[in-house]
Amino acid sequence: MKTKYNIVIFLAVLLAMVSCGKSGEKSKSDRRAEAQKERARDAAAFKVAVTPTIDCLPLYLLKDSMLYDSTKADIRLKTFNAHMDIDTALVGGSVQAAATELVRIMDLRRGHKVQLRAVAVTPLQWALIGNKNNGITSLKRLGNHMIAMTRYSATDWLTSQIKKESKTDSIIFSVQVNDVALRYDMFQNNEMDAAWLPEPYASAALLHGGVRLAASDAEGRSFGLVVYREPGTAEADVRERQLEEFKRAWDRAVELINHRGLRYYSALIKKYIHVDDKAIARLPKITFKPCEGPSRADVIAAEKIHFVKHTPKVQIR
C-alpha cells in the first residue's frame, strides 16, 4: 500500500514538473513575442532626441501631457546628455527629429551629407561661468586655465571668441566635455575653471557662487534648433504625417508655457532635468517660439563658422 502511495506521489510531482516546464517555455515565448512587437512599435514611432535642458521643455510637456493625437503619431523621446550623441543618432537614422544647435547642424550637413529640415527655433543659449573657487572672476584670469566646451559646436566657436577678448598672453585650454550634466558636475567639483553651461545648469552654477563671464546671447544669435531628418524612403509619407502632428503638439506646448511661465512647470523641470526649486526660481525669462525655421541672418552666420579638424598622428614603432 505504501509503495503504491509513493508511486502516486512521484507521478504527481513528475506531472507538475512537466507542466511547469511547458508553462515556463510558454512564458519565455510570450516575452520574446512581446519584445519583438515592442521593437516593431518603436521602429514605427516618431522618435525625438532631447537633452536635459530648458530648451527641450516643450518636448517634455507635449509628451508628458499627451498634447498630440496618439492615433496619428506615437511620439517617443530619446534622452541624450550630449549633442554629439544626437549627431550620431541623426546620422544613423535611429531618431526622426532632434533638439540640437545650428552650428552643429551646419557642420553635420557638410561632413555627413544628412538631409535635415529645420522645424522650430529653440531658446538654447550658453553662459560662460567662471569658478570663483579657482580664482576665475573675469576673462583676463582665464590664462593657463581650462574652459569646458564641445568641439565643432557653438561653444567651440564662442571659446575662440573669448580667447581673443581675454587679451591674455597665456594659453587658455579648451577641454572637451560633451556630456552637459558631467560638465556641470566637474565645474561644481572644481575640476574645471570655467564652463559653457545651458539653462538650467547656468542658473544652478550661479546660485552656488559661479561668476558669469560671458553669454552667447550677446552675439544676438539664436543657436537652438529642432530638426527633422528626411527619411528619403518609402516611409516618407507616413513620417511626414507624424511630423505634422508633432508640430501641432509643439505649438500647443509653446503656447501653454509662454502663457503660464516656466515656474508653473517646476514639477516637470525637476522630473526631467533634475534641478531644485532654487535653481528654477533663478531661471531668466524665456520665451518659446512656434514652429518656424531659423532667420536667414542666423543661417549665414552659422555657415561662416568652420573648424579645422586634425587627425591624430600615430607613430608606429
Side-chain angles (χ1 to χ4, degrees), residues 127-131 187 193-197 201-202 205-206 210-214:
L128 180 62
I129 309 298
N131 191 324
F187 177 85
D193 302 305
W196 287 105
L197 297 173
Y201 299 100
L206 291 171
V211 180
R212 186 188 295 270
L213 304 176

Side-chain angles (χ1 to χ4, degrees), residues 119-122 247 250-252 254-255 258 287-293:
V119 173
V121 174
T122 72
K247 289 164 66 175
W250 170 274
D251 286 349
R252 179 59 179 148
V254 163
E255 181 185 9
N258 288 341
T287 301
F288 294 86
K289 295 181 180 180
C291 287
E292 60 180 10

Side-chain angles (χ1 to χ4, degrees), residues 235-285:
E235 66 174 2
D237 290 343
V238 173
R239 293 301 188 192
E240 197 69 35
R241 288 193 292 271
Q242 291 176 325
L243 175 63
E244 289 306 309
E245 190 61 29
F246 168 78
K247 289 164 66 175
R248 279 192 287 271
W250 170 274
D251 286 349
R252 179 59 179 148
V254 163
E255 181 185 9
L256 289 171
I257 296 170
N258 288 341
H259 177 68
R260 293 170 173 170
L262 288 178
R263 288 165 186 77
Y264 182 88
Y265 293 100
S266 294
L268 190 67
I269 294 171
K270 286 188 285 187
K271 178 180 177 181
Y272 289 106
I273 308 177
H274 314 300
V275 290
D276 59 23
D277 288 316
K278 290 181 179 179
I280 294 170
R282 190 169 180 135
L283 286 170
K285 180 176 173 57

Side-chain angles (χ1 to χ4, degrees), residues 60-73:
Y60 290 119
L61 178 59
L62 72 84
K63 178 60 180 176
D64 209 66
S65 299
M66 286 290 290
L67 299 179
Y68 56 92
D69 186 342
S70 59
T71 63
K72 295 180 180 179

Side-chain angles (χ1 to χ4, degrees), residues 83-110:
H83 285 135
M84 187 172 287
D85 294 333
I86 289 179
D87 288 354
T88 302
L90 284 170
V91 171
S94 61
V95 297
Q96 282 64 55
T100 181
E101 52 113 326
L102 186 56
V103 176
R104 294 199 69 85
I105 290 305
M106 293 301 175
D107 195 59
L108 199 62
R109 284 173 172 170
R110 286 191 291 262

Side-chain angles (χ1 to χ4, degrees), residues 140-183:
K140 65 183 180 181
R141 289 180 174 269
L142 283 169
N144 290 323
H145 287 87
M146 301 179 292
I147 296 179
M149 40 69 78
T150 300
R151 299 286 183 195
Y152 318 130
S153 72
T155 59
D156 193 350
W157 176 73
L158 289 164
T159 301
S160 68
Q161 301 302 106
I162 288 299
K163 289 179 179 180
K164 295 175 185 176
E165 292 176 27
S166 66
K167 301 185 186 304
T168 176
D169 294 328
S170 301
I171 296 173
I172 298 175
F173 299 96
S174 299
V175 180
Q176 182 165 332
V177 184
N178 299 322
D179 184 317
V180 65
L182 176 62
R183 189 186 306 174

